[in-house]
Each structure stands twice: as C-alpha cells, then as structure tokens.
Amino acid sequence: MGKLKAVLAAATLALGATAAQAEQTKIGFVYVSPIGDAGYTYQHDLGRKAIEEEFGDKIKVSFVESVAEGPDSERVIMNYAKNGYDMVFATSFGYMNPTLKVAKKFPKVAFEHATGYKRAKNVNTYVARFYEGRYLAGLVAGKMTTSNVIGYVAAFPIPEVVRGINAFTRGIREVNKDAQVRVIWTNSWFDPGKEREAADTLIGQGADVLNMHADSPATIQAAADAGVYAIGYNSDLSKFGPKAQLTSTVTNWAPYYVKRVTEVLEGKWEGNQDTWDGLKEGMVEMAPFNDAVPQDVRDLVEKAKQDIIAGTLHPFAGPINDNEGKERVAAGTTMTDGDLLGFNWYVEGVVGKLPN
C-alpha cells in the first residue's frame, strides 16, 4: 500500500509539473549578433535575464543569436510562432518586415520590434533615444581632443545611425567649434575585423578620440593599442581599454521588457504602440568617466544631462546648418520626432557626404 501511495504521489507531482509547464508563457528573443560579454545584443540579453529573474516559472524564455537580417530572421521568428510562443522580441532594425510578415499570419502572438518604425495590431516598436547620450558623449570628446579630429566607426547609413553621429557632433561643436568628425561605414552591425580596420584608418587620419555604432569592442581595443581615447556604445566597454574609454552610452532595456511581459501575463498587452525613451526614463545611461576626464567636464555633462531630462535642452534645437552650410533648422525651433526618424543629412562639423 505504501508503494502504491508513493507511485500515486509521484504521478500527481508529475501531472502538476506538466500542467505548470503548459501554463508557462513562452517568450522568444531574436539577436542579430553573438551575445558576448558586452555590446548591443549583450544589453538585450541582460533584459532577457531580468524577466527570467522577475517572473521565474511563470515564463519559459528562449533566444537565438547571430540571426542575419532578412530571410533567416523570418525563419526564426516563424519558428517561434509555429511552436506556440506567446511573445517574440525581434531586436534588430532589419527584422522589421519579417516580423510584420509573420505577425500577419499569427494575430494572437505579441510581437515587439526594436528600432523599427512599422507597427501592426499585434506589433509594437521600441527604441531608446540614444542620441541624448550621444550628445553628452560629444561634450566629452570635444573637450578631450587635441587634434580636433574625431573618428566615428558606423554600421549602416540609416536614420538611427545618422542621428547618433549628428547628436555626437552637436555636442562636440557646443564646446569646440574647430573639431570635425570623420565617419567610416562598415555596412555591418557586427564585424570586428571591419570595425578594427575602420578605427585604425581613422587613427591614421589623426583622430585622437573615436566613437562607434557597432556591436564589438574592436574600436575601443584599437584606441587602447594606439594610445588614443574612445567612447563606447551600448555597454560599458572599459574592460577592453581601461585607459582608452572616456565613457560610454549604455542602453538599459530591462524595465521595458519587464513592463511588456507583465502586460502579456495580465492580459493587458496591446499592439500598435511605439516607445521612445531616453535619459529621463532611464533607458539611456552614461558609464562612469575615465579618470582622465577633468571635473569641470564631468560637471558640464551632468548639467547637460539634467537639462535634457528637464526638457530645457534638446540636442537638435535650432539653429542648425548641414555640413554644406544650408540652414536646416531655424532658430527658435526644434526638430520633431518625425524629423529625427527620417534623418538623412549631416550636421555642420561632419566631414564628407552621406552615402545613399
């Protein structure tokens, strides 16, 4: 009899466990590059870990890394939907159309797309106001350069990246009218070899401060090897160049992920929404300063940060000229979010022409 009770108890536990698993909300993440230990995808993965910690056994979370934009991403997103996932976070710009295509076939699945601009009844978009941190980083770069040549390793010439270059340059020119920004495009979100080559080329052109919109620490490492400064992106990259990194703009996705998963669990999630948060909401942060950054520069950055949060400073308040001398934003006016989302020109201070 005792053995029978034990068997029945074990069976009951097994059934309970199976029921609990069946009730778990399944959430998938699609990453464009390896998670690694720093960078864009790494920050998204910290958000994934945050929801696992927050919700525990209520959710089952999976991820696929190094998913190319285009057909391969559609395959991965489709697999999640076909396998009964309740929510999918597609974390790269090039996943936009594949996400929309899959979402149309699976109207009951909640899709979240990072950095895109197209939405649907079951597709939300979200992005950080990276440009606010870029502006602050520009203040640092403008103060720390001695050659007045600042390099920028950039991924693709899309509005998000152009906006970052321009905000950075606006910060530089606020404190140093003689400095110029030189840009090299890698046409890849993650290619350490190309990023390193671009950084070395910029250093060869006289750049003594580098910035980046890329997903590897190659730019920081190049700066460290050459004995110049650099500014990180997405993560604090100081461990790759403790003496080189002046600071870094850091993206904190965790609160957004916790919020959206909470909505799904409570049946309150709604699609066709866009979120664009920045310093005020804590989605954009700044990494600690290098010891080489003087106190007056730190104070300058902190004041600008508080002014942006208070709404009394906007990195794209007029007057603004493009790099050919044409006035693009008049004095007393500020670029709208719509203008920023379609940025396709360089501000004064950036050298060269923007690729088509």
Side-chain angles (χ1 to χ4, degrees):
M1 186 62 112
K3 289 183 178 179
L4 179 59
K5 286 184 178 180
V7 171
L8 289 172
T12 302
L13 286 172
L15 287 170
T18 301
Q21 289 172 356
E23 293 172 0
Q24 284 182 316
T25 296
K26 296 168 72 174
I27 302 167
F29 284 80
V30 189
Y31 298 146
V32 74
S33 59
I35 293 171
D37 52 6
Y40 178 79
T41 292
Y42 174 80
Q43 292 302 124
H44 282 287
D45 201 57
L46 290 180
R48 175 186 66 84
K49 291 177 179 177
I51 64 171
E52 288 182 321
E53 183 176 348
E54 179 77 17
F55 302 108
D57 292 339
K58 293 180 181 179
I59 61 175
K60 177 184 177 181
V61 185
S62 301
F63 66 87
V64 183
E65 57 187 328
S66 300
V67 178
E69 296 174 325
D72 198 37
S73 65
E74 182 180 333
R75 175 186 61 80
V76 173
I77 296 166
M78 181 72 76
N79 282 342
Y80 276 136
K82 284 182 176 179
N83 284 289
Y85 276 71
D86 304 282
M87 187 175 207
V88 178
F89 289 96
T91 63
S92 189
F93 180 80
Y95 297 161
M96 181 167 61
N97 290 330
T99 299
L100 289 165
K101 188 174 180 180
V102 176
K104 192 173 183 180
K105 297 178 181 178
F106 294 88
K108 293 184 179 180
V109 179
F111 293 90
E112 295 275 345
H113 178 232
T115 74
Y117 57 87
K118 295 180 181 179
R119 291 171 286 283
K121 289 183 179 179
N122 61 329
V123 180
N124 287 335
T125 52
Y126 61 103
V127 68
R129 292 186 183 271
F130 306 114
Y131 67 87
E132 294 180 345
R134 295 288 198 187
Y135 179 85
L136 300 181
L139 297 175
V140 179
K143 284 289 191 178
M144 296 299 292
T145 182
T146 56
S147 69
N148 286 334
V149 177
I150 296 169
Y152 206 110
V153 178
F156 293 99
I158 62 172
E160 176 196 338
V161 183
V162 175
R163 189 166 58 243
I165 293 168
N166 286 338
F168 180 60
T169 305
R170 291 276 291 165
I172 291 168
R173 301 284 281 198
E174 177 65 25
V175 297
N176 186 342
K177 298 296 185 185
D178 296 323
Q180 59 177 222
V181 175
R182 297 178 178 268
V183 182
I184 293 181
W185 299 94
T186 64
N187 292 306
S188 173
W189 294 118
F190 180 81
D191 191 323
K194 284 185 178 180
E195 293 163 32
R196 177 63 189 244
E197 183 180 356
D200 287 339
T201 299
L202 290 164
I203 293 168
Q205 293 176 359
D208 62 354
V209 180
L210 301 177
N211 201 346
M212 54 182 277
H213 193 134
D215 201 17
S216 91
T219 300
I220 303 295
Q221 292 167 326
D225 290 345
V228 300
Y229 291 127
I231 291 166
Y233 184 51
N234 292 309
S235 296
D236 182 348
L237 302 176
S238 57
K239 61 185 174 183
F240 298 100
K243 293 183 180 179
Q245 180 178 284
L246 293 171
T247 184
S248 179
T249 55
V250 177
T251 316
N252 180 14
W253 301 108
Y256 181 82
Y257 287 158
V258 170
K259 175 186 176 183
R260 289 306 192 205
V261 172
T262 299
E263 291 171 351
V264 166
L265 291 173
E266 295 179 352
K268 297 178 180 178
W269 186 91
E270 294 182 359
N272 205 25
Q273 298 184 69
D274 179 55
T275 297
W276 201 4
D277 289 343
L279 292 167
K280 182 178 180 179
E281 298 82 6
M283 190 175 276
V284 176
E285 302 170 344
M286 300 299 291
F289 291 108
N290 187 315
D291 289 343
V293 179
Q295 187 60 48
D296 65 323
V297 177
R298 300 174 188 227
D299 293 343
L300 175 71
V301 172
E302 181 59 28
K303 183 180 185 307
K305 175 183 174 181
Q306 295 306 321
D307 287 346
I308 291 174
I309 290 172
T312 56
L313 170 63
H314 194 293
F316 293 109
I320 303 175
N321 291 341
D322 64 25
N323 68 345
E324 295 181 350
K326 178 182 177 181
E327 184 178 83
R328 294 282 193 151
V329 183
T333 64
T334 300
M335 293 183 72
T336 66
D337 282 354
D339 295 333
L340 295 177
L341 289 170
F343 234 134
N344 61 356
W345 48 274
Y346 282 145
V347 298
E348 189 174 36
V350 184
V351 177
K353 292 187 176 181
L354 182 64
N356 293 326

